[in-house]
Amino acid sequence: MGTEPLLCEDEKIHIPGAIQPHGVLLTMSRSELLILQVSESAATIFGIASSEIIGKPLQFLIGETARTELTTRLSLTGVAQLNPLRLVVNCRPTSKAFDAVIHVSEELLVLELEEAESRKAEQSLDFFRTSNDAVSQLLACDSKQKLLETSVQFVQSFTGFDRVLLYLFDKQWNGTVEAECKADGVESYLHLQFPASDIPAQARELYKRNYLRLLVDVNAQPAAILPANNPSTGAPLDLSLSILRSMSPIHIEYLKNMKVAASMSLSLVNNDSLRGLIACHHFTPRHVDYRTRQACEFIARLVSLQIDTLEERENYQTIVELNHNRKDLLLHVFAQEDVPAAIASSGKLLEIARAEGAAVIWNDATYLVGETPSKDDVNLLALGLSQNMSDIVFATDSLAKIIPAAKGMEGLASGLLAVRISTTASRWLLWFRPQQEKEIHWAGNPEKSADAEAHLHPRKSFELWKEKVSGMSQPWSSPEISNALELRNGLLDAALSAAAKKRAVELQQQVEELDALNSQLTELSQELLVARDGALDASLRKSEMVSMVSHDLRAPLTSIKGSLALLDDQLYNIEPEVAELIGIAYNSANYMSSLIENLLQLESLESGTVELKKTDLQLEELVDAAFQLVRISAEKANVSLIVGDCGSLWADRERILQVLVNLISNAIKFSQADSTITVSSESNLDCTLIKVVDQGRGIPIEFRKSIFQRFKQVESDDRIEKKGAGLGLAICKAIVEAHGGTIGVDSELNVGSTFWFELPLASKNCGTA
């Protein structure tokens, strides 16, 4: 494999290991000012070989007096406050004056020196007047565009560069030339756009730290720093703050392709944000003295501050208009009870963010206003936002690039501004903007080219390159986004107000109802007392009836059954017709006795006087016992009894066995020959569900709820035909409910029925299945 291509984004431009040869750089220890490194340009500029300088104290170059003064000033003030310095160096064959600056890098003092240019007094005075005039005019600019144009004019007049241009970055770090001042015959770059790749991230970071960069001659051979590595770290010296730092080879190639021989750049930085650059180009080598550079840097700082001020001033009218629309909408909403409907019907929703379409999503309701995607598409977008967005606001001018579901909606929704009203419910405000097809004018083809070894190179031409762009809308401005957020805050208040009003109405209604009830209490109290006495009397009569049934009816019936049984044993010579009547009487007495027993049992269960003896049971054992009790009936009916999957349950064994026998017996009665009855169960963490499944005639839907009531059967003649009293299922229901469970039936005519009951496990409660 070959070597990896060098990308602009990968260059370590802060540690080039060399400086531009028109100056000298040296590093010193902070305590002793001992020279540790020096650029090889010292041999040319100082007339002293670097080997003679390294290891010497600073006074070797500037003398003891200057060294002492510098040490004193370093002890009294910070390093940055010393700049600029004027130092006289003991060069060979004669001393020279230098403009010098000093900074700290990795615990070393870095001193950079450039030969000072002498100026006459009147020249200095003229320069001061010009600088003062520049400041006055910049502060007087009443528009952002005027400010930008004035600033490049002054920088060009100060420096004499052939072309000075100012460009501002967009959110993607592409730079657009907003102002330009150039000499006659020089190619114009005004309104052209430079791609973000021209200034990669690490270069932008250096522009934030070092506000001015000067390249005197693109063809000059860099002067290496000797030794190459910082003696204290063993790594290349960090030159991030150096004014003499050698330029990147790729940047040198970039300038040569532009036919630029010298350049200077000034950073536009405010609130630690790089807003743009003032870039100066010259077609022959050009040096700018330190004092002029300081004046240009001051202009750049002033422009940076004024840009924000003028933008706020220019946005003021927009902000006032947006605020007015927001207040109108909120006034309309506060007067309504239905908040989302009021938002959509206000007539101001689109004006809140100057959009072509909008949507209000409030739980299950969706309202559309203006030009929007379909309701289904809007709800799909809101779902995507709910799943992937944690912030309360989201804004984009190219929605399809971020949310794939928006592909195909560009004609209506290339731009989306979304505000989440609630973080606990699906409540959104969405504004839409359609795509705006536009043509971008690049300064040359923005795509990088690679050589045969796959090394990237900057573009060779900067002639106009046009590119058509679609799928993007007009961007959302800061005032529009802020207004949407302010609307959210107002709507939260409106929703709370509406809820409070609704609650107040409900409370008033409750007060009125309570007053009405209170007025009725006096009238009802006497009726309640009468009703209470009646209930007590009825309860007493019911107890007396139960006692009478238990004693006065059961005893005679027992005697009657005994007498009839003796007659039926044919101890007496009785005619056949009489014997048949005796049999009928015996069966009727037996039926009445069973009916009385069932009634007494049902009364005990419903009154809560029965004490259940619950234990852990295995259903399969209970089912086998039940099958033994009904086996003769099953064989007579030719019905098969099957045990399915059975688990455990927590219940009174005898009571649940009674339920199983009753349900299985009923199933046998109503099953066809050669059919099957299956008993099984299934359990979860709380309950056990037991099923008795038959293949009988089924139960009509109108009888499925009533069959568990007393004396209720599917057909009126079932009680006689099937020899049932209509109390068995009522007893089953009472037993199951005494266990804290539920009982029911699922049935399909001519297919069969499934009687089921659900019992809770120990210390659990079951709901309805």
Side-chain angles (χ1 to χ4, degrees):
M1 294 178 64
T3 59
E4 293 293 326
L6 179 64
L7 303 177
C8 291
E9 292 81 357
D10 299 330
E11 283 190 283
K12 296 179 173 59
I13 58 178
H14 64 297
I15 51 172
I19 65 167
Q20 298 177 60
H22 67 276
V24 176
L25 178 145
L26 55 88
T27 67
M28 304 172 291
S29 61
R30 299 188 67 173
S31 57
E32 300 174 346
L33 298 187
L34 191 68
I35 299 173
L36 303 176
Q37 293 172 283
V38 65
S39 62
E40 61 182 1
S41 55
T44 303
I45 297 175
F46 292 166
I48 306 173
S50 58
S51 58
E52 291 186 58
I53 299 175
I54 296 174
K56 296 289 194 308
L58 181 59
Q59 56 264 38
F60 173 76
L61 292 177
I62 66 174
E64 186 63 36
T65 301
R67 191 264 188 198
T68 301
E69 181 183 353
L70 178 60
T71 302
T72 302
R73 293 178 63 186
L74 280 171
S75 65
L76 294 176
T77 184
V79 173
Q81 282 69 39
L82 292 176
N83 298 323
L85 299 169
R86 177 61 64 96
L87 297 176
V88 176
V89 178
N90 300 321
C91 299
R92 297 173 183 169
T94 184
S95 298
K96 296 179 184 178
F98 289 86
D99 288 326
V101 292
I102 190 169
H103 71 273
V104 177
S105 177
E106 301 167 331
E107 297 305 316
L108 297 181
L109 290 176
V110 179
L111 184 65
E112 299 178 85
L113 303 102
E114 297 174 82
E115 286 192 61
E117 296 183 9
S118 60
R119 288 176 180 263
K120 296 179 181 180
E122 61 271 16
Q123 290 177 314
S124 298
L125 184 59
D126 289 341
F127 184 79
F128 171 78
R129 289 170 177 165
T130 304
S131 300
N132 189 54
D133 183 47
V135 171
S136 298
Q137 290 194 40
L138 289 171
L139 291 175
C141 291
D142 58 0
S143 72
K144 175 182 169 183
Q145 187 59 37
K146 181 65 175 176
L147 173 73
L148 304 184
E149 293 172 355
T150 302
S151 65
V152 295
Q153 290 168 7
F154 275 110
V155 171
Q156 203 270 344
S157 67
F158 286 173
T159 62
F161 276 101
D162 292 327
R163 176 173 54 219
V164 177
L165 53 87
L166 185 152
Y167 61 92
L168 301 178
F169 295 118
D170 61 18
K171 292 181 180 179
Q172 288 74 41
W173 296 107
N174 300 311
T176 301
V177 179
E178 304 288 352
E180 180 184 67
C181 184
K182 64 183 185 64
D184 294 339
V186 174
E187 182 182 3
S188 174
Y189 289 158
L190 187 61
H191 304 313
L192 296 186
Q193 194 168 97
F194 288 78
S197 57
D198 281 8
I199 306 178
Q202 78 273 32
R204 294 195 298 269
E205 192 60 33
L206 286 184
Y207 278 123
K208 286 168 56 178
R209 300 183 62 190
N210 199 344
Y211 286 6
L212 186 146
R213 294 289 295 116
L214 173 68
L215 176 63
V216 174
D217 185 358
V218 296
N219 294 308
Q221 184 65 33
I225 297 173
L226 303 174
N229 291 339
N230 180 341
S232 63
T233 65
L237 182 66
D238 188 341
L239 296 178
S240 297
L241 300 179
S242 169
I243 62 174
L244 294 174
R245 176 172 54 86
S246 177
M247 296 290 185
S248 150
I250 293 180
H251 184 62
I252 293 293
E253 183 181 357
Y254 179 90
L255 293 175
K256 287 181 177 180
N257 291 346
M258 197 182 278
K259 298 180 175 58
V260 170
S263 71
M264 185 175 77
S265 60
L266 300 160
S267 303
L268 301 176
V269 178
N270 195 14
N271 295 325
D272 198 38
S273 175
L274 184 64
R275 298 290 305 275
L277 293 173
I278 297 176
C280 308
H281 300 150
H282 209 67
F283 301 112
T284 58
R286 188 169 189 81
H287 181 265
V288 179
D289 67 85
Y290 189 82
R291 186 182 63 167
T292 302
R293 299 202 305 262
Q294 277 189 306
C296 292
E297 183 177 343
F298 179 76
I299 287 177
R301 288 176 181 261
L302 180 59
V303 169
S304 299
L305 294 172
Q306 286 296 97
I307 286 176
D308 282 346
T309 301
L310 291 173
E311 283 182 346
E312 290 179 4
R313 185 184 301 172
E314 291 172 0
N315 285 335
Y316 177 74
Q317 187 58 42
T318 298
I319 294 172
V320 170
E321 180 182 342
L322 292 175
N323 287 346
H324 181 73
N325 291 329
R326 184 182 76 249
K327 291 176 182 178
D328 283 351
L329 187 150
L330 290 173
L331 285 173
H332 176 75
V333 171
F334 271 96
Q336 308 295 319
E337 294 184 0
D338 189 337
V339 172
I343 299 170
S345 64
S346 68
K348 293 291 184 179
L349 184 57
L350 297 181
E351 284 75 6
I352 293 295
R354 297 189 294 191
E356 279 73 21
V360 181
I361 299 172
W362 207 273
N363 300 330
D364 296 329
T366 300
Y367 303 86
L368 303 181
V369 179
E371 299 296 324
T372 70
S374 69
K375 185 175 292 187
D376 288 343
D377 286 341
V378 168
N379 289 329
L380 186 63
L381 288 176
L383 178 62
L385 291 170
S386 298
Q387 294 173 343
N388 302 305
M389 176 182 148
S390 57
D391 296 331
I392 61 173
V393 64
F394 168 80
T396 179
D397 57 6
S398 51
L399 181 60
K401 293 181 180 179
I402 300 174
I403 300 180
K407 191 69 176 177
M409 303 182 197
E410 292 88 350
L412 295 169
S414 280
L416 173 66
L417 172 57
V419 173
R420 185 196 294 265
I421 301 298
S422 172
T423 57
T424 59
S426 181
R427 295 182 182 180
W428 292 88
L429 292 182
L430 308 179
W431 288 272
F432 303 101
R433 282 178 177 167
Q435 67 179 348
Q436 289 185 337
E437 294 187 356
K438 61 181 180 179
E439 189 173 75
I440 299 178
H441 291 180
W442 295 100
N445 186 345
E447 298 295 328
K448 295 179 181 178
S449 60
D451 57 21
E453 286 78 30
H455 294 114
L456 291 177
H457 296 277
R459 57 191 180 279
K460 298 184 182 298
S461 172
F462 292 83
E463 293 182 1
L464 175 63
W465 180 278
K466 297 181 180 180
E467 179 187 10
K468 289 187 177 180
V469 177
S470 60
M472 298 178 66
S473 72
Q474 178 186 350
W476 306 96
S477 67
S478 294
E480 292 162 350
I481 296 174
S482 298
N483 197 45
L485 285 172
E486 288 296 325
L487 176 63
R488 175 185 183 270
N489 295 334
L491 291 176
L492 289 174
D493 291 340
L496 288 174
S497 176
K501 290 179 181 177
K502 182 179 179 181
R503 181 59 180 158
V505 170
E506 291 175 350
L507 286 174
Q508 182 61 34
Q509 291 175 345
Q510 290 175 6
V511 168
E512 292 175 356
E513 290 172 0
L514 287 173
D515 288 342
L517 287 173
N518 187 50
S519 64
Q520 295 172 8
L521 282 177
T522 304
E523 300 175 6
L524 292 175
S525 59
Q526 188 60 39
E527 296 178 15
L528 290 173
L529 290 173
V530 172
R532 182 199 64 182
D533 293 341
L536 290 173
D537 185 58
S539 177
L540 180 61
R541 289 198 300 272
K542 182 178 180 181
S543 298
E544 292 173 350
M545 183 195 74
V546 170
S547 298
M548 182 269 291
V549 169
S550 177
H551 182 268
D552 297 343
L553 292 183
R554 279 201 296 180
L557 274 175
T558 301
S559 299
I560 294 172
K561 285 174 61 179
S563 300
L564 292 173
L566 289 173
L567 294 173
D568 193 43
D569 282 342
Q570 298 183 354
L571 295 177
Y572 303 97
N573 187 17
I574 299 174
E575 294 295 327
E577 292 82 359
V578 176
E580 182 178 358
L581 291 174
I582 291 173
I584 293 172
Y586 182 81
N587 289 336
S588 297
N590 198 42
Y591 171 79
M592 183 176 293
S593 179
S594 175
L595 179 61
I596 290 171
E597 292 295 331
N598 286 338
L599 278 171
L600 292 174
Q601 182 181 15
L602 187 59
E603 176 62 27
S604 298
L605 288 168
E606 291 181 346
S607 65
T609 59
V610 175
E611 182 179 353
L612 299 178
K613 299 177 181 179
K614 296 182 182 179
T615 59
D616 281 317
L617 303 173
Q618 295 300 317
L619 180 62
E620 186 172 0
E621 184 272 328
L622 278 180
V623 174
D624 286 341
F627 281 175
Q628 290 297 328
L629 295 174
V630 301
R631 187 169 303 282
I632 295 176
S633 298
E635 290 175 352
K636 287 182 178 180
N638 196 23
V639 174
S640 300
L641 304 178
I642 299 174
V643 181
D645 293 335
C646 291
S648 60
L649 62 156
W650 174 256
D652 183 312
R653 184 184 186 281
E654 297 306 319
R655 298 294 180 182
I656 296 304
L657 178 61
Q658 183 180 357
V659 172
L660 288 171
V661 169
N662 201 320
L663 294 180
I664 296 169
S665 297
N666 280 353
I668 293 172
K669 289 179 185 179
F670 298 102
S671 292
Q672 303 295 326
D674 299 323
S675 64
T676 61
I677 296 172
T678 304
V679 182
S680 64
S681 74
E682 54 189 66
S683 299
N684 55 34
L685 294 177
D686 298 326
C687 302
T688 299
L689 178 68
I690 300 98
K691 297 180 180 180
V692 177
V693 183
D694 65 45
Q695 297 173 325
R697 69 188 187 186
I699 302 171
I701 190 169
E702 62 269 21
F703 292 102
R704 291 176 194 172
K705 289 185 178 180
S706 64
I707 59 174
F708 291 99
Q709 299 175 11
R710 297 184 185 195
F711 308 114
K712 294 291 185 178
Q713 294 190 337
V714 175
E715 301 293 345
S716 59
D717 57 351
D718 278 350
R719 185 177 303 172
I720 298 172
E721 181 184 346
K722 301 298 182 180
K723 300 180 180 179
L727 289 175
L729 291 180
I731 292 172
C732 290
K733 180 174 183 293
I735 292 173
V736 171
E737 289 179 348
H739 279 76
T742 55
I743 190 168
V745 63
D746 300 319
S747 184
E748 186 176 350
L749 291 178
N750 302 318
V751 174
S753 301
T754 298
F755 280 84
W756 54 263
F757 60 97
E758 192 173 36
L759 300 179
L761 301 180
S763 303
K764 301 290 183 179
N765 291 314
C766 289
T768 303

